[in-house]
C-alpha cells in the first residue's frame, strides 16, 4: 500500500518534471529562427512566455501553448483588467491559414472587441503564428515608448475558431503582473480580487447562511414562544445588513470590472428589493388578532421564501460568472445541503406534530 503510493508519487513527480523540462528547454520551430536569445518563463497553465527587450524599448515575444483549435491571446493592460487593454490574438484558420491580429478590448461583449485597434505598436518584423506538434507559437515584436519592466499581462483562449476575424468569448483567462527584468510573475495588484472575495463572502454569509437559518427558526421553532421571535428578528436583521453590504460591494465591483453580468446583477437587485419589502413589512405588521393578519402572514412567508430561493440561485450564478472556483462550489454546496436536509427533517417533524395534535383534537 505504502509502496504503491510512493510509486504513484514518483510517477506523478516525473510526469510533472517532464512537462516542465519540455517547456522552456524545448527548441523553437525553425521558422522562428529570427527570434533568438530569449528568456523563458512558464506563466500560466501550460503557457510559455519567451521574451527579450532591446535598448530601443522593443519587446520580442514568443508565446507558446498546447493547441488544438480556437484562438490564443496575450493582452497588455494598464490595470490588470480586460476592458481598456490591447491584445495580440493568434489562431489557425479552418483552411489551415495562420492568423495573428491586434485587438482593442473595449468591452466584455464580442462587438466591443475591435480588430486592428488598440495601443500596441508592432515593428517592421511581421507577427507570425506557427502550429507544430499540437503546439501554437505566437511571435511578435512591440515597440514601447519607455523601458518595459513591470507589466500587467492577460492571457486567454477560446475554443471557437474566429469567423471573419471576429472573436468569441474565452473559455479561460487570467490576469497577472509580469516583471520583464526578473522573469517572475505575481498576482495583479490593481485587480479588485479583495473586493470580489468580500462581495462573495458577504453574499454567501448574509443570503446563504444567516437569512435561511432565521427563516428555519421562524417556521420550526414556533413552540418556543417568544424565543423564536427574538431570534428571527435579530438574525434576519443582521442577515439583511450583510446582504445589503454584499449588493453594495457588488455594484462597486461591477463598475470596477466593467462587468456585464446582467442576469446576476438583475437577480441580485430583485432579491434585495424583496429583502427591503420584508423589513418594511416587519414594521407594518398588523396586530395578531387583526383580520388582515392572515394575509400579512401569507405575504411575509411567500416573499421570504421567494427571496431565499432566488438568492440561492444567484449565489450559484455568482460563483459561476465570478469563476470563484471549486472551494466556493464545495463550501456553498455543503452549506446548502445541510440547510435542505435540516428543513426536510424539520418539516416532517412539524407535520407529525400537527397530525398528532389533530388526532388529539378529534378524540377529545
Ligand atoms: C470577443 C472576445 C471577448 C469577450 C466576449 C470577452 C468577455 C469577457 C467577460 C464577459 C469577462 C468577465 C468574466 C467572465 O464572464 O468570465 C472577461 C474577463 C476577462 N477577459 Fe475577456 N473577453 C474577450 C476577449 C478577451 C481577450 C482577447 C483577452 C486577453 C487576451 C481577455 C482577457 C480577459 C481577462 C484577463 C479577464 C478577467 C479580468 C477582468 O474581468 O477584467 N478577454 N472577458
Ligand atoms: C443576492 C445578491 C447577490 C448574491 C447572493 C451574489 C453572489 C455572488 C457570488 C457568490 C459571487 C462570486 C464571488 C467570487 O468569485 O469571489 C459573485 C460575483 C459577482 N457579483 Fe454578485 N451577488 C449578488 C448581487 C450582485 C449585484 C447586485 C451585483 C452588481 C450590481 C453583483 C455583481 C457581481 C460581480 C461583478 C461579480 C464578479 C463577476 C466577474 O468576476 O466578472 N452581484 N456574486
Amino acid at each position: 500500500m505504502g509502496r504503491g503510493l510512493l510509486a504513484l508519487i514518483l510517477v506523478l513527480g516525473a510526469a510533472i518534471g517532464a512537462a516542465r523540462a519540455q517547456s522552456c528547454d524545448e527548441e523553437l520551430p525553425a521558422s522562428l529562427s529570427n527570434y533568438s536569445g530569449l528568456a523563458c518563463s512558464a506563466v500560466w497553465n501550460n503557457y510559455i512566455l519567451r521574451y527579450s527587450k532591446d535598448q530601443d524599448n522593443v519587446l520580442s515575444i514568443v508565446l507558446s501553448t498546447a493547441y488544438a483549435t480556437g484562438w490564443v491571446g496575450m493582452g497588455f493592460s494598464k490595470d490588470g483588467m480586460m476592458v481598456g487593454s490591447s491584445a495580440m490574438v493568434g489562431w489557425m484558420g479552418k483552411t489551415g491559414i495562420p492568423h495573428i491580429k491586434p485587438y482593442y478590448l473595449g468591452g466584455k461583449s464580442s462587438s466591443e472587441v475591435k480588430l486592428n485597434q488598440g495601443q500596441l505598436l508592432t515593428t517592421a518584423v511581421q507577427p507570425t503564428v506557427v502550429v507544430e506538434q499540437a503546439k501554437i507559437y505566437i511571435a511578435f515584436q512591440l515597440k514601447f515608448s519607455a523601458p518595459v519592466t513591470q507589466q500587467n499581462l492577460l492571457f486567454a483562449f477560446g475554443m471557437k475558431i474566429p469567423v471573419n476575424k471576429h472573436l468569441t468569448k474565452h473559455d479561460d483567462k487570467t490576469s497577472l503582473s509580469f516583471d520583464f527584468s526578473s522573469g517572475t510573475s505575481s498576482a495583479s495588484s490593481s485587480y479588485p480580487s479583495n473586493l470580489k472575495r468580500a462581495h462573495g463572502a458577504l453574499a454567501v454569509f448574509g443570503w446563504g447562511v444567516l437569512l435561511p437559518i432565521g427563516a428555519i427558526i421562524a417556521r420550526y421553532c414556533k413552540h418556543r414562544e417568544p424565543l423564536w421571535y427574538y431570534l428571527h428578528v435579530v438574525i434576519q436583521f443582521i442577515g439583511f445588513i450583510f446582504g445589503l453590504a454584499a449588493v453594495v460591494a457588488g455594484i462597486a465591483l461591477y463598475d470596477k470590472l466593467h462587468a456585464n453580468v446582467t442576469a446576476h446583477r438583475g437577480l441580485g437587485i430583485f432579491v434585495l428589493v424583496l429583502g427591503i419589502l420584508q423589513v418594511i413589512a416587519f414594521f407594518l405588521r398588523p396586530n395578531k388578532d387583526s383580520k388582515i393578519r392572515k394575509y400579512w402572514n401569507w405575504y411575509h412567508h411567500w416573499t421570504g421564501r421567494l427571496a431565499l430561493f432566488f438568492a440561492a440561485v444567484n449565489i450559484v450564478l455568482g460563483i459561476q460568472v465570478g469563476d470563484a472556483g471549486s472551494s466556493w462550489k464545495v463550501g456553498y454546496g455543503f452549506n446548502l445541503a445541510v440547510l435542505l436536509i435540516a428543513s426536510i427533517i424539520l418539516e416532517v417533524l412539524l407535520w407529525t406534530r400537527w397530525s398528532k395534535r389533530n388526532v388529539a383534537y378529534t378524540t377529545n
Side-chain angles (χ1 to χ4, degrees):
M1 175 71 193
R3 222 188 297 154
L5 195 64
L6 189 67
L8 184 69
I9 290 169
L10 285 179
V11 168
L12 277 179
I16 292 166
R20 281 255 173 80
Q22 196 188 29
S23 48
C24 267
D25 293 348
E26 183 189 300
E27 302 264 312
L28 287 180
S31 47
L32 294 177
S33 58
N34 49 348
Y35 289 86
S36 58
L38 305 180
C40 181
S41 178
V43 278
W44 175 56
N45 290 351
N46 51 17
Y47 280 61
I48 306 297
L49 179 64
R50 291 183 174 83
Y51 60 94
S52 74
K53 39 181 197 166
D54 69 11
Q55 56 274 43
D56 298 329
N57 303 326
V58 170
L59 190 64
S60 304
I61 299 276
V62 178
L63 177 70
S64 60
T65 184
Y67 181 77
T69 184
W71 60 265
V72 170
M74 173 171 173
F76 294 79
S77 168
K78 278 188 214 69
D79 54 8
M81 248 71 83
M82 173 186 152
V83 176
S85 62
S86 306
M88 292 298 281
V89 180
W91 67 92
M92 185 57 84
K94 278 210 172 76
T95 50
I97 299 171
H99 298 271
I100 175 162
K101 294 284 168 200
Y103 285 84
Y104 178 64
L105 313 180
K108 286 178 170 172
S109 62
S110 264
S111 60
E112 293 166 297
V113 172
K114 298 249 162 66
L115 173 68
N116 287 334
Q117 290 185 27
Q119 281 123 27
L120 300 179
L121 286 178
T122 46
T123 63
V125 175
Q126 279 299 313
T128 337
V129 174
V130 178
V131 174
E132 227 180 70
Q133 293 176 343
K135 287 212 181 73
I136 190 167
Y137 298 82
I138 295 173
F140 53 91
Q141 275 195 348
L142 297 177
K143 168 102 177 128
F144 287 85
S145 53
V148 195
T149 48
Q150 197 78 25
Q151 170 71 47
N152 286 305
L153 297 180
L154 314 178
F155 298 98
F157 66 87
M159 309 287 255
K160 285 211 190 86
I161 297 177
V163 177
N164 294 331
K165 305 188 173 63
H166 214 81
L167 302 184
T168 47
K169 198 186 151 186
H170 26 78
D171 289 275
D172 202 4
K173 84 285 170 188
T174 194
S175 164
L176 48 85
S177 176
F178 191 77
D179 187 332
F180 277 100
S181 304
S182 66
T184 51
S185 49
S186 50
S188 242
S189 57
S190 45
Y191 187 84
S193 42
N194 285 339
L195 181 60
K196 189 171 154 194
R197 219 168 300 133
H199 165 66
L202 288 167
V204 170
F205 189 59
W207 291 106
V209 178
L210 285 182
L211 291 165
I213 289 179
I216 286 176
I217 289 174
R219 182 162 174 84
Y220 304 113
C221 300
K222 281 246 176 56
H223 52 289
R224 296 285 198 100
E225 189 90 61
L227 179 67
W228 78 265
Y229 178 72
Y230 294 129
L231 279 178
H232 178 66
V233 170
V234 170
I235 293 176
Q236 295 319 70
F237 191 71
I238 300 173
F240 175 76
I241 299 295
F242 274 94
L244 178 66
V247 173
V248 172
I251 290 168
L253 186 63
Y254 194 83
D255 288 346
K256 272 232 167 87
L257 286 176
H258 304 276
N260 66 347
V261 291
T262 38
H264 176 67
R265 171 174 177 258
L267 206 53
I269 291 170
F270 176 62
V271 165
L272 179 68
V273 169
L274 293 181
I276 293 171
L277 289 177
Q278 289 296 78
V279 175
I280 295 174
F282 166 75
F283 288 108
L284 296 181
R285 79 192 181 291
N287 199 293
K288 244 190 181 156
D289 319 313
S290 162
K291 271 200 194 120
I292 56 165
R293 176 66 177 234
K294 192 172 89 186
Y295 300 106
W296 184 90
N297 279 345
W298 185 86
Y299 163 81
H300 186 71
H301 295 176
W302 282 103
T303 310
R305 285 166 200 159
L306 202 67
L308 290 180
F309 173 75
F310 282 119
V313 172
N314 213 30
I315 290 174
V316 173
L317 209 61
I319 290 175
Q320 223 147 47
V321 295
D323 250 335
S326 48
S327 57
W328 285 76
K329 284 183 199 155
V330 173
Y332 181 64
F334 180 75
N335 170 68
L336 192 62
V338 168
L339 288 172
L340 285 177
I341 292 169
S343 307
I344 292 169
I345 294 173
L346 289 165
E347 190 72 16
V348 170
L349 290 178
L350 191 69
W351 281 81
T352 48
R353 206 186 306 143
W354 273 350
S355 60
K356 260 193 209 138
R357 207 180 293 156
N358 279 346
V359 172
Y361 183 76
T362 45
T363 50
N364 267 344

